[in-house]
Amino acid sequence: MKVSLVKEMRAVDRRAGEEYGLPEVVLMENAGRQTAAEMIALLGSVRGKTICVLAGSGNNGGDAFAAARYLANEGADLKVFLTGNPDHLKASPSIMKQAVTAMGIAVHDLTGDRDMDRLRLALRFADGVLDGILGTGFRGTLRPVVRQAVELVNAAHCPVLAIDIPSGVEADTGEVGDAACSASARPARASSASTPSASRTNSWRTRRCSRPASTAGWPPLCCPRVRARPTRGPAAASSSLRARAA
């Protein structure tokens, strides 16, 4: 295993596209599939269960939208919320959002108090939460809408699965500004490097979220991404599968 900083992870993703011709949307699709598999493992099954999906407007949100499709195909009842501005969606996340809506799954914007009430109600009856709001590019403090959404998730009594890293945590340092989805975590099994894929996911299993008083007690591997060490060729560049923590 290799522990890497954010800039190193970005370099690996960039190589997958520039050197080996793997489009970003392919990486996002594989990330969504793997994330859905982790949610299924976390809950045992998602059939007939309510999953609350929170997606940001960046690539983390695109992963969440992709995962939502796979979860829907497994029989989950989805409540999907977009925490970012729909007009600011990047190209690949926009494709994933369109695919979700084409399946008849509603995506609710979080723009006002009524929308937050809808999220609060969804969380009350949720069996699990998928945190796809912010990823490893986050630094500083949360926007008011995101902070409110995070606080609602923190108050929910259900399992949370975070894509890449819990929203609100700075990946290189583990620092938390005003709030974050967080919990004790430890490295879990990584997908075998002998069967690489173009996955860009690093899903963190979390228990009930709460804001830490400080980051001093956090496990050291809670923040940097962990990937399987590449070997050779196109498959190797795309094989850097981010470890999932349980």
Side-chain angles (χ1 to χ4, degrees), residues 78-184:
L78 298 178
K79 308 297 181 184
V80 184
F81 296 87
L82 176 63
T83 62
N85 189 326
D87 297 330
H88 295 167
L89 276 173
K90 297 180 180 179
S92 295
S94 180
I95 291 172
M96 293 301 177
K97 179 176 179 288
Q98 291 173 19
V100 167
T101 56
M103 291 177 65
I105 302 170
V107 178
H108 306 286
D109 298 335
L110 291 177
T111 57
D113 292 341
R114 181 172 296 183
D115 302 312
M116 287 297 174
D117 288 339
R118 186 195 298 269
L119 173 59
R120 185 180 292 106
L121 183 63
L123 289 168
R124 182 181 302 173
F125 296 100
D127 297 290
V129 176
L130 179 58
D131 169 19
I133 304 174
L134 298 168
T136 55
F138 168 77
R139 292 182 63 113
T141 58
L142 302 175
R143 293 185 297 107
V145 169
V146 173
R147 174 171 180 152
Q148 188 174 356
V150 165
E151 289 174 344
L152 289 176
V153 171
N154 289 350
H157 295 265
C158 58
V160 177
L161 179 68
I163 300 173
D164 283 349
I165 196 166
S167 294
V169 179
E170 293 189 14
D172 283 347
T173 65
E175 292 182 358
V176 175
D178 50 352
C181 280
S182 60
S184 60

Side-chain angles (χ1 to χ4, degrees), residues 4-233:
S4 302
L5 299 175
V6 172
K7 65 179 182 180
E8 295 171 318
M9 293 301 93
R10 288 175 177 168
V12 172
D13 284 343
R14 185 170 58 251
R15 287 188 63 199
E18 293 178 357
E19 296 187 30
Y20 303 111
L22 292 171
E24 182 179 65
V25 71
V26 173
L27 307 185
M28 197 168 287
E29 178 73 10
N30 287 351
R33 182 179 64 247
Q34 195 69 19
T35 298
E38 279 297 297
M39 181 63 79
I40 293 169
L42 179 63
L43 300 181
S45 170
V46 296
R47 184 165 299 279
K49 294 182 179 179
T50 300
I51 309 296
C52 187
V53 178
L54 289 93
S57 56
N59 287 347
N60 213 248
D63 294 347
F65 286 132
R69 295 189 356 259
Y70 285 96
L71 291 170
N73 287 337
E74 291 295 327
D77 178 19
L78 298 178
K79 308 297 181 184
V80 184
F81 296 87
L82 176 63
T83 62
N85 189 326
D87 297 330
H88 295 167
L89 276 173
K90 297 180 180 179
S92 295
S94 180
I95 291 172
M96 293 301 177
K97 179 176 179 288
Q98 291 173 19
V100 167
T101 56
M103 291 177 65
I105 302 170
V107 178
H108 306 286
D109 298 335
L110 291 177
T111 57
D113 292 341
R114 181 172 296 183
D115 302 312
M116 287 297 174
D117 288 339
R118 186 195 298 269
L119 173 59
R120 185 180 292 106
L121 183 63
L123 289 168
R124 182 181 302 173
F125 296 100
D127 297 290
V129 176
L130 179 58
D131 169 19
I133 304 174
L134 298 168
T136 55
F138 168 77
R139 292 182 63 113
T141 58
L142 302 175
R143 293 185 297 107
V145 169
V146 173
R147 174 171 180 152
Q148 188 174 356
V150 165
E151 289 174 344
L152 289 176
V153 171
N154 289 350
H157 295 265
C158 58
V160 177
L161 179 68
I163 300 173
D164 283 349
I165 196 166
S167 294
V169 179
E170 293 189 14
D172 283 347
T173 65
E175 292 182 358
V176 175
D178 50 352
C181 280
S182 60
S184 60
R186 63 183 185 276
R189 66 189 185 282
S191 298
S192 171
S194 64
T195 55
S197 71
S199 176
R200 50 182 300 278
T201 190
N202 173 28
S203 300
W204 292 91
R205 290 186 191 178
T206 72
R207 299 181 183 88
R208 184 185 175 189
C209 287
S210 61
R211 179 187 175 187
S214 70
T215 57
W218 281 39
L221 291 181
C222 186
C223 305
R225 296 183 185 180
V226 182
R227 292 185 182 237
R229 186 182 299 274
T231 51
R232 296 177 298 174

